[in-house]
Amino acid sequence: MRVELDVPKCVASGQCVMAAPDVFDQRDDDGVAILLQEHPGEELLDDVREAVAVCPAAAIRLVER
Amino acid sequence: MPEAQSCPVTGAAEPLPEYPLPRAAECPLAPAPAAQQLRAEKPITKVRIWNGGTPWLVTRHADQRALLPDPRVSDDDLDPGFPYVNAHRAEIAPMTPRLITNTDAPEHTRLRRTVNGPFVVKRIAKMRAPIQKIVDDLIDQMLAGPKPADLLKAFALPVPSLVIAQLLGVPYEDHDFFQRSSSLVLDGSAAPEEARRVSGELAAYLDNLLRRKTADPDEDVLSEMAGRVQAGEMAHAEAVSMGVAMLIAGHETTATMISLGTLALFQHPDQLALLRETDDPKLIANAVDEVLRYLSIVQTGVRRVAKDDIEIGDVVIRKGDGIIFDLHAANWDPEVFPEAERLDLTRPARTHQAFGYGPHQCLGQNLARLELQVVYGTLYRRVPTLRPAAAIEDLEFDHTGTTYGVHSLPVTW
Ligand code: HEM
Ligand code: SF4
């Protein structure tokens, strides 16, 4: 699985961090998302799916393989 | 031609629904029946509002998710097509400085990033212990006081005001003043003049506190904003308005989720029992999102205006048209939440739109969730006999405020 984060679209809501803390983090000063791993393991698929679903900016894409 | 006037064109006589749509008296916690019907039959349709304007009403979950993040959908309340909530909002719009609540990207992105730091998930998580202490102390005080008690005044309003005091960095010795004044301004009990005087006092208080934090910074939001003011990233007055905005936006909403949420749980004893008997943080977190979904307390809808023509489904929203997003209707959309009328604390509820959707989605949502998790995870376990002291038919609901709530919630134990 490959995850894409569109940083300019990100509105720094932190919803991805709540859904998938192993895959996303936030910058301390303004909360913009940071992609921790572009190729997370399959065990994180549900978390990533939830992150995609809750992101208010539609800034996360899951490229499944 | 004179005859034409007496021969109305077929269909033209059908009046547009008046928005807001009324709730059914017998189902005070459910969305307006007409909103549910529109969602099924005319999911994007025109309605009429207080000033005669005819914005679009969007009721389906999927359509709201498609439109709210769309850059053509604007929060510019100076646009003549903007569907104001009421005359007061229309009047103050031209006098209001540009803030996160009335700007679009890229201005909105810039402004929001300057105030977002304190709401970063990891920083909010550090507030769990202080919030737990606030909640425990307030429960102690309520239990030591007379019963029945008004849950709103004794507990639901003080929780968010003390939490915001802590977040902003209001010193402990001023908490009493802060809590009393903010409740007075927000609980609607004061005469307009009195409310205006006290809100002036609060703004002056925050203004003064911001100056003190500039000279002597601490680990709190006002100190952080003071730093940004000194670095030239923010004006002093902007920082004060932001402090006031956090207080206003986060106080009544969170208090309502505590009082109306408790009422909803009283109406669903099996669900209340789940909370009374659990200490599973996952279940509690999900319960908070489900109650947010079920109640969708922001009842005025999210308001926007189209900056360009937008084709969606079989309608074209024209440039300059107003758009209202009814959050309650979307959160009861059976396509996303089957049997939406059931309060089910174990259902997947995370994709609800009670905090809105898109770039303006609630700035304080992570804090609000944490407060509600502590409250729902503590109150019913510590007071297992907590029960209503008035029938639901005798409660007074607020149908006109931004948030739908009760004026008081008598409880006993
Ligand atoms: C359960 C409690 C809450 C609910 C249901 C709620 C609901 C909402 C909703 C629906 C919006 C979106 C408005 C729009 O799109 O036009 C919003 C925005 C906002 N909320 Fe909340 N809110 C809550 C708590 C809080 C708290 C605790 C704070 C601050 C400490 C806060 C601060 C804000 C601010 C500043 C905005 C404007 C964001 C923007 O326009 O970019 N809210 N809220
Ligand atoms: S959920 Fe979306 S908008 Fe929010 S921080 Fe993550 S990527 Fe950014």
Side-chain angles (χ1 to χ4, degrees):
Chain A
M1 137 172 84
R2 186 163 65 82
V3 180
E4 283 177 3
L5 172 69
D6 187 341
V7 174
K9 267 187 162 181
C10 169
V11 296
S13 69
Q15 300 314 293
C16 54
V17 182
M18 304 245 271
D22 296 326
V23 184
F24 299 95
D25 199 355
Q26 281 176 290
R27 299 204 298 234
D28 277 337
D29 58 336
D30 61 8
V32 171
I34 303 165
L35 186 58
L36 295 175
Q37 35 177 337
E38 203 181 321
H39 297 280
E42 286 304 308
E43 73 285 359
L44 295 171
L45 182 62
D46 284 349
D47 286 4
V48 172
R49 283 215 174 104
E50 177 158 313
V52 171
V54 297
C55 173
I60 305 169
R61 268 187 4 122
L62 170 59
V63 189
E64 246 162 312
R65 281 187 308 176
Chain B
M1 280 195 269
E3 302 129 53
Q5 274 179 349
S6 55
C7 307
V9 180
T10 316
E14 193 183 318
L16 292 181
E18 300 270 340
Y19 194 87
L21 302 155
R23 289 173 199 257
E26 67 280 15
C27 304
L29 302 183
Q36 304 239 67
Q37 194 182 346
L38 288 176
R39 187 191 56 229
E41 292 167 7
K42 292 187 201 163
I44 303 180
T45 192
K46 288 219 168 176
V47 292
R48 190 177 305 279
I49 60 171
W50 63 277
N51 62 356
T54 56
W56 296 92
L57 180 69
V58 181
T59 41
R60 281 184 55 213
H61 189 274
D63 292 335
Q64 295 193 356
R65 280 177 75 96
L67 286 170
L68 277 167
D70 190 311
R72 295 169 294 182
V73 173
S74 163
D75 209 359
D76 175 10
D77 65 3
L78 298 177
D79 188 298
F82 192 87
Y84 302 102
V85 169
N86 53 36
H88 174 67
R89 296 282 195 87
E91 212 170 282
I92 61 172
M95 290 160 329
T96 307
R98 296 298 90 188
L99 302 166
I100 53 174
T101 48
N102 54 21
T103 45
D104 300 322
E107 179 78 3
H108 175 262
T109 319
R110 187 185 65 75
L111 289 171
R112 187 144 162 166
R113 285 181 186 181
T114 64
V115 293
N116 199 45
F119 297 96
V120 167
V121 173
K122 280 190 185 154
R123 287 180 62 181
I124 288 293
K126 294 195 188 132
M127 292 193 66
R128 185 176 282 273
I131 294 175
Q132 185 70 56
K133 170 140 183 26
I134 289 170
V135 167
D136 286 337
D137 290 352
L138 284 166
I139 294 176
D140 289 341
Q141 283 171 31
M142 185 175 82
L143 293 180
K147 57 185 176 178
D150 175 6
L151 189 76
L152 193 66
K153 281 220 168 63
F155 183 69
L157 282 165
V159 170
S161 92
L162 291 175
V163 170
I164 293 171
Q166 185 115 28
L167 183 84
L168 289 173
V170 172
Y172 187 77
E173 60 273 20
D174 297 338
H175 277 195
D176 233 28
F177 157 79
F178 192 79
Q179 203 260 303
R180 258 185 299 112
S181 333
S182 56
S183 283
L184 204 133
V185 174
L186 290 162
D187 74 3
S189 63
E193 227 125 276
E194 166 95 351
R196 214 167 307 134
R197 183 181 62 76
V198 178
S199 68
E201 268 174 32
L202 261 178
Y205 173 80
L206 287 179
D207 188 322
N208 185 16
L209 188 58
L210 186 67
R211 284 176 213 284
R212 273 157 58 198
K213 300 277 179 186
T214 310
D216 186 11
D218 206 341
E219 281 275 313
D220 54 55
V221 169
L222 281 179
S223 299
E224 183 162 325
M225 289 203 287
R228 290 193 188 263
V229 171
Q230 285 197 306
E233 292 169 32
M234 207 176 188
H236 178 89
E238 250 173 22
V240 174
S241 342
M242 203 52 223
V244 176
M246 283 181 201
L247 174 64
I248 292 177
H251 194 188
E252 199 185 356
T253 44
T254 310
T256 298
M257 279 304 300
I258 297 173
S259 52
L260 207 63
T262 300
L263 178 63
L265 290 163
F266 285 158
Q267 299 290 105
H268 296 81
D270 57 327
Q271 301 298 302
L272 179 57
L274 284 182
L275 280 177
R276 203 183 279 136
E277 282 147 27
T278 191
D279 56 4
D280 173 7
K282 278 214 158 108
L283 173 59
I284 295 168
N286 201 71
V288 166
D289 276 300
E290 170 66 353
V291 180
L292 282 160
R293 176 197 75 80
Y294 184 80
L295 293 172
S296 304
I297 55 170
V298 173
Q299 64 177 347
T300 43
V302 162
R303 311 275 172 139
R304 298 288 188 269
V305 60
K307 287 287 183 189
D308 211 335
D309 291 358
I310 304 168
E311 238 187 279
I312 176 157
D314 51 10
V315 307
V316 180
I317 297 174
R318 294 285 171 202
K319 178 177 177 175
D321 286 353
I323 316 173
I324 300 176
F325 297 87
D326 190 300
L327 302 176
H328 210 173
N331 283 340
W332 282 45
D333 186 339
E335 275 182 37
V336 186
F337 304 106
E339 294 183 76
E341 69 289 352
R342 271 186 49 218
L343 179 73
D344 172 2
L345 303 185
T346 61
R347 81 159 77 223
R350 260 312 249 112
T351 56
H352 70 75
Q353 279 150 206
F355 290 119
Y357 191 73
H360 293 272
Q361 191 182 55
C362 183
L363 176 70
Q365 61 176 312
N366 300 325
L367 177 63
R369 278 199 177 88
L370 178 58
E371 288 178 64
L372 294 171
Q373 286 166 12
V374 173
V375 167
Y376 292 3
T378 308
L379 180 62
Y380 317 116
R381 271 162 57 101
R382 274 206 55 200
V383 197
T385 57
L386 189 76
R387 58 185 184 279
I392 189 167
E393 298 78 34
D394 295 333
L395 298 176
E396 242 186 89
F397 291 89
D398 177 359
H399 292 274
T400 54
T402 308
T403 54
Y404 180 66
V406 277
H407 290 301
S408 72
L409 185 66
V411 294
T412 192
W413 52 88

